[in-house]
Amino acid sequence: MTFDNVRGSSTPGRPSRTHPNVSGTPSVVQSLRAHAGHAVPFSVEFNPPRDAAAEARLWRAVRQFECMHPAFVSMTYGAGGSTRDRTVRVTGELAQQTTLLPVAHLTAVEHSVAELRSLVGAYADSGIRNILVLRGDPPGDPLGEWHKHPQGVSYAEELVRIVRDLGDFHVGVASFPQGHHRSPDLATDTAFLAAKLRAGAEYSITQMFFDVEHYLRLRDRLAALDPIEGAKPIIPELMPITSLRTVQRAEELCGRPLPDSVMRRLRTAAGDGGEENAAAVRAAGIEIATEIAQRLIDEGAPCLHFITLNFAKATSEVLTNLGYGVTAAPVSV
């Protein structure tokens, strides 16, 4: 897919460009409504596989989740496009070979505008209409200094406009219950979120958190700042902790240390012996995730978005605890 295949270029003297027709694909917001029923919809996040073995594991999880009927599934994007080709291919296969609704991640890190348009075109060629737009973190060090590509963009708001201008796409963005680590304060961070939504984003997915109060305060801040944009879905992201080893990964995804109350429960479960009581830690992690999810349901969250790390079992256990009719029987962690 080349840049010339996508509509939206303003290059003088060039004809308007069109992308393949993907208008028959539902949007995330439409899917949330269709899945509402008697339970809050849920969705899951996959990571791009780095080799054949990881890809096989991903597809096992995909088929397990397919039986559970999530509202949508998202595929993350490697820092700096490090998994670009595999990500685009596998996300396309999700659209073409499953009944799932895939959402492709798109980040601005180390990409020119021309490259970003080409990527959107590649997704469109695969029948993907839903894209989650992120500015992205620097590769290698998420907390490092962020550098704009010389021919790229600086903010996710700009990327939202690029994708929307390219055609019939539905766009989501990230939101940060505790504020993005680069924002000077929560008010500024909320203003950035409102700007992304005004630019054409239809919903946001939060950064992972372990304190529901942060989510509720974000929702209230956005509604107070802009009631129209505040009415758009803010989808909370959560991840069951299955071992102390995954705590570090969780903190990387949160951008913050886990709350002391959560760590105390996990450490108590681990025990004082020389070896971690792995079964107890896992049980505590599932219990914590279930409690967080239930509180979000009670508070009217529009969807529960689970980070899976390409495993199905932990998420399915949480859903079962919540009373969802999970029909699959995953065997993975």
Side-chain angles (χ1 to χ4, degrees):
M1 179 75 186
T2 65
F3 176 39
D4 289 348
N5 292 338
V6 195
R7 178 168 61 79
S9 170
S10 58
T11 305
R14 288 192 144 183
S16 176
R17 297 168 175 117
T18 58
H19 65 77
N21 181 11
V22 291
S23 58
T25 305
S27 70
V28 163
V29 174
Q30 288 171 331
S31 187
L32 293 180
R33 291 171 183 157
H35 281 76
H38 299 294
V40 171
F42 78 96
S43 55
V44 298
E45 177 180 292
F46 298 126
N47 300 115
R50 295 187 176 274
D51 53 39
E55 187 165 339
R57 188 183 77 204
L58 165 66
W59 279 101
R60 287 194 295 272
V62 165
R63 294 307 180 188
Q64 291 167 347
F65 278 117
E66 191 172 17
C67 297
M68 304 180 205
H69 310 294
F72 66 92
V73 300
S74 69
M75 177 65 72
T76 65
Y77 192 74
S82 58
T83 58
R84 168 177 167 166
D85 292 342
R86 192 183 293 264
T87 299
V88 172
R89 176 180 60 78
V90 173
T91 309
E93 290 171 353
L94 288 174
Q96 297 163 2
Q97 300 177 21
T98 77
T99 59
L100 299 168
L101 177 66
V103 176
H105 287 215
L106 184 70
T107 70
V109 176
E110 297 189 349
H111 285 314
S112 67
V113 169
E115 289 171 335
L116 292 167
R117 287 174 171 158
S118 180
L119 275 167
V120 174
Y123 284 133
D125 274 347
S126 298
I128 294 169
R129 182 187 179 193
N130 293 282
I131 297 179
L132 185 71
V133 163
L134 310 155
R135 187 171 85 155
D137 293 321
D141 180 9
L143 300 180
E145 187 175 356
W146 200 92
H147 296 284
K148 172 188 172 183
H149 186 285
Q151 287 82 46
V153 297
S154 297
Y155 299 104
E157 177 188 351
E158 300 171 87
L159 192 48
V160 171
R161 297 185 190 279
I162 287 172
V163 175
R164 290 301 303 266
D165 286 347
L166 288 173
D168 188 19
F169 294 99
H170 290 273
V171 180
V173 292
S175 52
F176 302 90
Q178 295 173 264
H180 192 279
H181 64 271
R182 299 182 195 281
S183 293
D185 50 55
L186 291 176
T188 301
D189 190 77
T190 308
F192 282 142
L193 173 57
K196 291 187 289 187
L197 294 167
R198 293 187 197 113
E202 300 173 8
Y203 64 94
S204 72
I205 298 177
T206 73
Q207 188 176 49
M208 186 172 62
F209 57 87
F210 283 83
D211 185 340
V212 177
E213 290 300 322
H214 292 306
Y215 170 82
L216 299 177
R217 291 167 190 161
L218 167 64
R219 193 171 65 179
D220 291 345
R221 288 195 305 272
L222 182 61
L225 176 66
D226 190 324
I228 293 176
E229 304 307 328
K232 293 179 177 178
I234 302 176
I235 300 172
E237 183 176 69
L238 55 160
M239 184 182 84
I241 298 293
T242 56
S243 69
L244 290 183
R245 181 171 50 84
T246 61
V247 167
Q248 181 179 357
R249 178 62 174 151
E251 291 181 337
E252 290 173 356
L253 294 169
C254 286
R256 300 284 194 284
L258 268 60
D260 290 341
S261 59
V262 171
M263 287 305 306
R264 280 197 300 271
R265 289 175 66 176
L266 294 173
R267 291 193 181 107
T268 298
D272 298 327
E275 293 187 8
E276 171 187 337
N277 186 333
V281 171
R282 189 181 186 285
I286 298 295
E287 183 179 70
I288 291 166
T290 301
E291 292 169 2
I292 292 171
Q294 185 61 63
R295 174 83 189 282
L296 289 166
I297 292 171
D298 294 342
E299 294 288 355
C303 182
L304 303 173
H305 188 66
F306 289 90
I307 296 174
T308 70
L309 303 180
N310 297 352
F311 293 102
K313 189 176 181 181
T315 298
S316 72
E317 288 183 18
V318 173
L319 292 172
T320 298
N321 291 345
L322 295 168
Y324 286 69
V326 174
T327 58
V331 295
S332 55
V333 174

